């Protein structure tokens, strides 16, 4: 298994643990349907929102913060995948898009940044 893939899986597990500790209900992890994918789909009972979560994990901040890897193309794909998931599962809750930016250095403490409402669906 490739090291970057293992790092990504570890980051997703850290994010899921964090979400559960904060009262979220995890609905899906690594959801895929053909070419569509969402890292984590959760329900936030405090706001009654479906939360579509993109997890970006790095071993260092040398090349910039992990959240900077979520570009316009990734946002459009995430929104499209979430819309498809909601229609497929007949979900009518409001939706929110979050990012988990995680740095797991070889030595040292894990850095976690949960960015709520990280982006909104682009118009057009």
């Amino acid at each position: 298994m490739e090291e970057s893939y293992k790092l990504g899986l570890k980051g997703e597990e850290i994010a899921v643990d964090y979400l559960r500790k904060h009262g979220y209900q995890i609905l899906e992890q690594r959801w895929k349907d053909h070419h569509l994918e969402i890292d984590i789909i959760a329900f936030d009972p405090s706001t009654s929102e479906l939360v579509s979560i993109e997890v970006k994990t790095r071993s260092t901040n040398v090349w910039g913060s992990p959240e900077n890897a979520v570009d316009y193309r990734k946002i459009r794909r995430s929104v499209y995948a979430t819309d498809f998931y909601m229609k497929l599962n007949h979900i009518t809750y409001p939706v929110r898009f979050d990012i988990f930016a995680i740095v797991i250095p070889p030595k040292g403490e894990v850095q976690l940044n949960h960015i709520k409402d990280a982006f909104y669906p682009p118009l057009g």
Side-chain angles (χ1 to χ4, degrees):
M1 195 179 299
E2 195 175 316
E3 288 303 313
S4 62
Y5 182 75
K6 287 181 189 177
L7 186 68
L9 291 178
K10 178 130 174 99
E12 287 179 18
E13 289 304 319
I14 289 169
V16 165
D17 289 346
Y18 174 94
L19 290 164
R20 284 192 174 125
K21 287 178 186 170
H22 287 85
Y24 289 73
Q25 298 168 1
I26 305 303
L27 304 177
E28 304 274 354
Q29 282 183 257
R30 294 182 290 284
W31 177 84
K32 290 184 182 185
D33 189 293
H34 301 285
H35 65 283
L36 302 174
E37 61 181 60
I38 303 170
D39 292 336
I40 301 170
I41 302 169
F43 180 74
D44 182 352
S46 70
T47 61
S48 296
E49 292 174 309
L50 182 77
V51 186
S52 178
I53 301 164
E54 179 66 26
V55 180
K56 290 296 177 190
T57 309
R58 302 288 184 264
S59 60
T60 179
N61 271 334
V62 169
W63 307 110
S65 299
E67 64 269 21
N68 292 337
V70 182
D71 59 8
Y72 181 75
R73 183 171 176 242
K74 183 62 184 167
I75 289 170
R76 286 189 57 188
R77 291 184 72 156
S78 180
V79 168
Y80 183 76
T82 303
D83 183 59
F84 182 81
Y85 177 85
M86 292 176 73
K87 287 176 181 170
L88 186 67
N89 293 286
H90 310 286
I91 295 172
T92 58
Y93 300 120
V95 66
R96 182 178 88 215
F97 297 91
D98 291 3
I99 295 174
F100 267 84
I102 302 171
V103 178
I104 305 173
K107 296 179 182 174
E109 199 170 313
V110 171
Q111 300 165 27
L112 180 136
N113 185 13
H114 179 194
I115 305 164
K116 293 182 181 180
D117 282 319
F119 57 86
Y120 299 98
L123 299 174

